[in-house]
Amino acid sequence: MIRKERAILALEDGTVYRGYAFGHRGETVGEVVFNTSMTGYQEIMTDPSYNGQIVTITYPHVGNYGVAIYDMESNKPYVRGFISREFSGDYSNHRAQQSLEAFMQQYGVVSIQGIDTRALVRRLREGGVVKGVIAHRSFTHPDDSYGEFTPAEEQVYVQRARDHQDIDGHDMTREVTTPLPYAFPTLRHGKRVVLMDFGIKHTIIERLSEVGIEPIVVPAQTTPAQIMALQPHGLFLSNGPGDPAPLEYAHKTAWEMMGLLPTFGICLGHQILGLAAGGKTFKMKFGHRGGNQPVKNLLTGNVEITAQNHGYAVDIESIPNDAFVATHVNLNDGTLEGMAHSRYPVFSVQYHPEASPGPHDSRYLFDRFIEEIDAFDGGNGSPVQKAAAGRLGI
């Protein structure tokens, strides 16, 4: 019988799950959430939107196809920890360069396996997301890594989870945004679009490039004057982690840019647009995370299966003066999934149309964005941009 190092997952409500260590040996703390995708664990781990969170994968077997450099959604993993019923120590994939455990060890991702993930997910669905700690036995007992944690030791980690800072009210984007602007290399000349980086995924930039956009990625705190100085044809507000409410600088920028350029927001960018228009957001009980969320397009009546990752949502009824109208709704719980401005070429969706991982039902939204840009009288030197430049003091 193979002996495995002990590990625990301690939740702030006092629940403790006992399992086995995997990945980097140590301790980690964060908000415990779950994702229902069957594949795409590498993309999930490297999605900056998961900054501050410990992710539970509901699919029971993870890691069997290894890790490939071309599937990275950012330059490193942003998850605080990873949970699976069983991690695979071996992999088979001609594209892979290393095993999942080697990848976790390289980037310091603390993980646990061997727990009842069905029971954990049911706990999160019924009670809502909670803070938790993953602790490996060897980190505190290097001479006795196969021993059990004592009840007293487990309670220490329960208290550590309780004491950890909530994601609510905390600006998580500062930890993931690019420090400096950069241009994404393209093989053809296209329409220049400024991408505000609140935690953007690589695949989003690639999808925008594929439809004829020249992306320029800028930090989250970039001002309207700095945006307009780049003479863009459009503005994109990216996905990102955490609570959108504290990002007042982003709300202000989105409000001042409203109507000056065709604008497309995804996930956190969608929430920022709602708050910029005077609306409110709320935290969901356990959020939407996975590649199988059904969304109805209210404009066409079509149903799209979408990839999602968010714990907050926009209350469309709270937006004053009917500035935005609902365009998409979630068929599971009726929450808002998309909206469009009633006057300006500004629209957004709560889900991820780039779908990495996930279905491709919603990729038409990138085509819609370039069509809005082409139709907008806002090219370089246009009256609209000249007026904007004067108002912003450029």
Side-chain angles (χ1 to χ4, degrees):
M1 179 178 178
I2 299 176
R3 300 179 72 192
K4 297 180 180 179
E5 179 185 338
R6 297 289 181 172
I8 61 169
L9 169 66
L11 305 182
E12 63 176 310
D13 66 356
T15 306
V16 177
Y17 296 90
R18 300 168 185 88
Y20 303 99
F22 193 81
H24 178 74
R25 297 306 191 257
E27 299 174 1
T28 190
V29 59
E31 183 180 73
V32 182
V33 300
F34 66 90
N35 187 298
T36 59
S37 296
M38 296 177 66
T39 61
Y41 50 80
Q42 181 183 347
E43 292 91 333
I44 292 166
M45 292 175 66
T46 56
D47 180 351
S49 296
Y50 283 107
N51 183 39
Q53 295 178 324
I54 296 173
V55 181
T56 307
I57 299 296
T58 60
Y59 192 68
H61 191 67
V62 175
N64 57 316
Y65 57 84
V67 171
I69 189 172
Y70 297 107
D71 295 333
M72 298 282 284
E73 287 297 339
S74 62
N75 295 330
K76 65 177 185 179
Y78 278 95
V79 294
R80 290 283 172 84
F82 224 52
I83 302 170
S84 174
R85 181 70 181 89
E86 181 183 11
F87 286 111
S88 174
D90 299 317
Y91 68 93
S92 177
N93 178 4
H94 71 281
R95 296 175 65 253
Q97 288 82 41
Q98 62 185 145
S99 68
L100 177 58
E101 184 162 33
F103 179 74
M104 289 179 171
Q105 291 169 344
Q106 178 182 349
Y107 288 101
V109 180
V110 179
S111 303
I112 185 172
Q113 65 174 334
I115 71 171
D116 188 346
T117 51
R118 294 173 300 175
L120 174 58
V121 169
R122 185 166 184 172
R123 158 68 189 83
L124 298 176
R125 285 182 59 87
E126 293 177 352
V129 296
V130 293
K131 294 176 291 183
V133 174
I134 297 175
H136 291 174
R137 177 77 177 178
S138 63
F139 191 69
T140 54
H141 299 77
D143 298 328
D144 184 23
S145 60
Y146 300 110
E148 299 281 357
F149 286 88
T150 67
E153 289 172 332
E154 292 178 347
Q155 288 308 304
V156 169
Y157 290 111
V158 168
Q159 189 59 48
R160 190 169 299 175
R162 291 171 179 164
D163 294 339
H164 184 62
Q165 182 183 40
D166 285 327
I167 285 180
D168 296 9
H170 179 55
D171 183 354
M172 305 291 290
T173 65
R174 295 178 184 271
E175 301 173 11
V176 301
T177 188
T178 179
L180 296 170
Y182 64 91
F184 183 80
T186 59
L187 299 178
R188 57 182 178 178
H189 181 72
K191 297 295 179 71
R192 181 180 301 165
V193 172
V194 169
L195 281 55
M196 296 194 71
D197 177 15
F198 302 110
I200 197 165
K201 295 169 62 180
H202 289 168
T203 304
I204 292 176
I205 305 175
E206 293 169 1
R207 295 290 173 265
L208 290 168
S209 176
E210 288 172 359
V211 297
I213 283 173
E214 290 184 7
I216 299 179
V217 184
V218 299
Q221 292 183 294
T222 301
T223 66
Q226 291 170 327
I227 292 171
M228 296 304 292
L230 295 170
Q231 297 185 318
H233 296 88
L235 177 65
F236 179 85
L237 307 182
S238 85
N239 63 295
D243 186 354
L247 280 61
E248 294 183 0
Y249 55 89
H251 309 166
K252 183 174 184 292
T253 296
W255 171 249
E256 292 181 359
M257 293 298 300
M258 199 83 70
L260 300 183
L261 294 170
T263 301
F264 181 19
I266 285 178
C267 200
L268 183 65
H270 161 82
Q271 297 161 8
I272 288 170
L273 284 170
L275 290 165
K280 296 179 181 179
T281 56
F282 60 92
K283 186 166 186 176
M284 306 171 75
K285 189 174 182 180
F286 50 83
H288 298 157
R289 297 176 182 88
N292 54 357
Q293 289 283 335
V295 168
K296 183 175 182 178
N297 185 326
L298 300 178
L299 304 178
T300 65
N302 294 335
V303 174
E304 306 162 20
I305 304 302
T306 66
Q308 302 200 15
N309 170 23
H310 64 102
Y312 296 82
V314 175
D315 178 7
I316 190 68
E317 300 298 330
S318 69
I319 298 179
N321 305 318
D322 297 323
F324 279 93
V325 295
T327 58
H328 299 75
V329 295
N330 190 286
L331 291 180
N332 283 337
D333 58 15
T335 53
L336 180 71
E337 293 285 3
M339 61 185 185
H341 201 280
S342 56
R343 293 177 55 199
Y344 305 132
V346 178
F347 68 101
S348 61
V349 290
Q350 181 62 80
Y351 51 94
H352 283 260
E354 83 288 352
S356 180
H360 300 168
D361 297 23
S362 305
R363 286 193 179 178
Y364 68 89
L365 291 166
F366 295 104
D367 294 314
R368 175 183 169 185
F369 186 35
I370 193 66
E371 289 168 2
E372 294 277 13
I373 291 172
D374 289 338
F376 183 68
D377 183 20
N380 293 334
S382 73
V384 172
Q385 287 200 333
K386 288 179 180 178
R391 180 161 66 86
L392 297 172
I394 299 175

